[in-house]
Amino acid sequence: MKQQKRTIAIVCGGDSSEHDVSLRSAQGLYSFFDKERYDVYIVDMKGTDWQVQLADGTTTPIDMNDFSFREQGRLRLFDYAYITIHGTPGENGILQGYFDLIHMPYSTSGVLVEAMTFDKFVLNQYLRGYGVRVAESVLVRRDQVQQLNKKQVIDTVGMPCFVKPANDGSSFGVSKVNKPDQMDAAIRVAMMESDEVMIEQYLDGTEITVGCYKTKDKSVVFPVTEVVTKNEFFDYDAKYNGQVEEITPARIPEDTARRAQELTSAIYDILHCNGIIRIDYIITRGDDGQDKINMLEINTTPGMTATSFIPQQVRAAGLNISDVLTDIVENQF
């Protein structure tokens, strides 16, 4: 008897500035999934408007009581949710809590890990306790802005520095501050995305990124990608409008690449992650002449368009992205 196909929801959209980027990741994932094995639907969320895209080009609403929908009069239930929302509610634990309540397996880490990795300042302080190198930073909450002692901040993080939303994606609201009189404007921009802002030390070095996933019987760390942009930093235009050069494998010493991969695997285990994650780093040169690997942030719902980092790294590893997605789904059954 032929095995019944599992029904997969690719959950995208969300309520952040990266809503449309998420839709592009959903289209990429839809093209990657093995349609012989799975029935795949895209679910676009915006606020409480959750819509399933049907094969005929129409949409139909999701019943939030059990994440079901109707197609041609028939009730359809999903077996699994592949979350590709960049930002709230899919990258900060909110959506994961909902899926836990209705007992729906999903592709990301759980509520605590998602909440922690979404808050860059909290994550940095947590992983620092495990010996992970991170940049110096200062947290500023909205109600503390008027009392902010800028001299004290600069003494801590130096100049130039970065001002970024503490708990949102990394594409919007980020500014590089080269002079103290630019800080107020940068904080205002970051506050448009988040109630908490992180002012972070600038690290001058080579930016790299490494993807990883694990199942019950395998651990896969992808080749390292080097990120080169002529922009001030790896901003929205660099990420999504082609103003960047992405080189896989990275042009760094083999030992440094190996250490970055080992660190990525170790962080995955420390946090007890699930599904694919991608960790961004800056490699700096220490006083001893050795490469130092500094963690920047963890992406638990990394971009999944055909040209995104993870599909690039999968190809460089000689793997098939459809097989990788199948590994991730089947690991929870």
Side-chain angles (χ1 to χ4, degrees), residues 101 170 218 246:
L101 283 171
S170 56
K218 70 170 71 170
E246 299 163 2

Side-chain angles (χ1 to χ4, degrees), residues 18-310:
E18 294 189 79
H19 178 276
D20 291 351
V21 176
S22 170
L23 302 188
R24 302 212 292 266
S25 284
Q27 292 295 336
L29 282 162
Y30 186 86
S31 72
F32 299 148
F33 263 107
D34 182 353
K35 309 302 192 307
E36 295 295 314
R37 184 166 191 144
Y38 302 113
D39 287 331
V40 185
Y41 293 82
I42 291 176
V43 178
D44 183 358
M45 294 182 172
K46 186 73 173 176
T48 56
D49 183 21
W50 299 5
Q51 298 287 329
V52 185
Q53 298 178 14
L54 302 178
D56 62 5
T58 63
T59 62
T60 191
I62 286 277
D63 182 341
M64 295 183 196
N65 290 297
D66 57 4
F67 205 63
S68 65
F69 67 102
R70 291 195 170 272
E71 186 175 27
Q72 297 178 340
R74 187 162 67 97
L75 180 68
R76 298 294 304 263
L77 293 166
F78 286 110
D79 298 300
Y80 186 91
Y82 197 103
I83 301 170
T84 190
I85 291 175
H86 310 313
T88 189
E91 205 172 11
N92 58 0
I94 293 174
L95 190 57
Q96 287 78 7
Y98 163 77
F99 283 134
D100 284 345
L101 283 171
I102 64 168
H103 305 289
M104 172 79 69
Y106 50 83
S107 60
T108 69
S109 306
V111 173
L112 177 60
V113 174
E114 291 298 314
M116 188 185 300
T117 54
F118 194 65
D119 190 314
K120 301 178 184 70
F121 186 81
V122 168
L123 178 70
N124 282 9
Q125 307 319 307
Y126 181 74
L127 289 178
R128 192 195 294 269
Y130 284 89
V132 177
R133 290 176 61 95
V134 295
E136 292 295 333
S137 59
V138 173
L139 183 69
V140 183
R141 296 185 173 93
R142 190 177 294 278
D143 60 359
Q144 298 171 333
V145 173
Q146 297 303 318
Q147 293 81 40
L148 183 65
N149 185 327
K150 280 187 281 190
K151 182 182 182 306
Q152 199 171 55
V153 170
I154 293 167
D155 287 346
T156 301
V157 304
M159 190 65 60
C161 62
F162 281 106
V163 176
K164 58 178 71 172
N167 41 26
D168 207 334
S170 56
S171 298
F172 294 91
V174 183
S175 303
K176 184 179 178 185
V177 173
N178 294 299
K179 297 184 295 184
D181 61 7
Q182 297 173 339
M183 191 172 289
D184 287 342
I187 291 172
R188 284 195 297 273
V189 169
M191 286 285 179
M192 292 171 68
E193 302 292 330
S194 169
D195 286 333
E196 295 185 345
V197 166
M198 185 164 74
I199 305 173
E200 187 177 52
Q201 174 190 11
Y202 168 71
L203 298 175
D204 187 14
T206 302
E207 184 163 353
I208 62 168
T209 187
V210 189
C212 176
Y213 78 95
K214 301 190 181 191
T215 66
K216 298 181 190 80
D217 54 12
K218 70 170 71 170
S219 173
V220 180
V221 184
F222 299 127
V224 179
T225 298
E226 180 182 350
V227 183
V228 183
T229 177
K230 293 185 173 64
N231 297 8
E232 275 255 77
F233 58 96
F234 189 45
D235 59 7
Y236 181 89
D237 282 331
K239 279 186 181 181
Y240 303 118
N241 294 332
Q243 297 174 16
V244 67
E245 189 178 2
E246 299 163 2
I247 302 159
T248 310
R251 300 168 301 181
I252 57 176
E254 283 185 24
D255 178 66
T256 303
R258 177 187 55 77
R259 288 193 293 122
Q261 290 174 308
E262 288 175 353
L263 179 57
T264 300
S265 179
I267 291 172
Y268 194 106
D269 291 341
I270 288 168
L271 296 174
H272 196 56
C273 291
N274 179 56
I276 297 177
I277 68 165
R278 200 193 79 228
I279 307 184
D280 301 338
Y281 303 97
I282 288 277
I283 300 171
T284 55
R285 185 60 59 90
D287 294 338
D288 58 1
Q290 299 298 308
D291 284 343
K292 307 297 182 185
I293 301 171
N294 308 270
M295 191 203 73
L296 290 179
E297 66 176 274
I298 299 178
N299 299 275
T300 59
T301 61
M304 292 295 283
T305 69
T307 58
S308 294
F309 288 121
I310 293 298

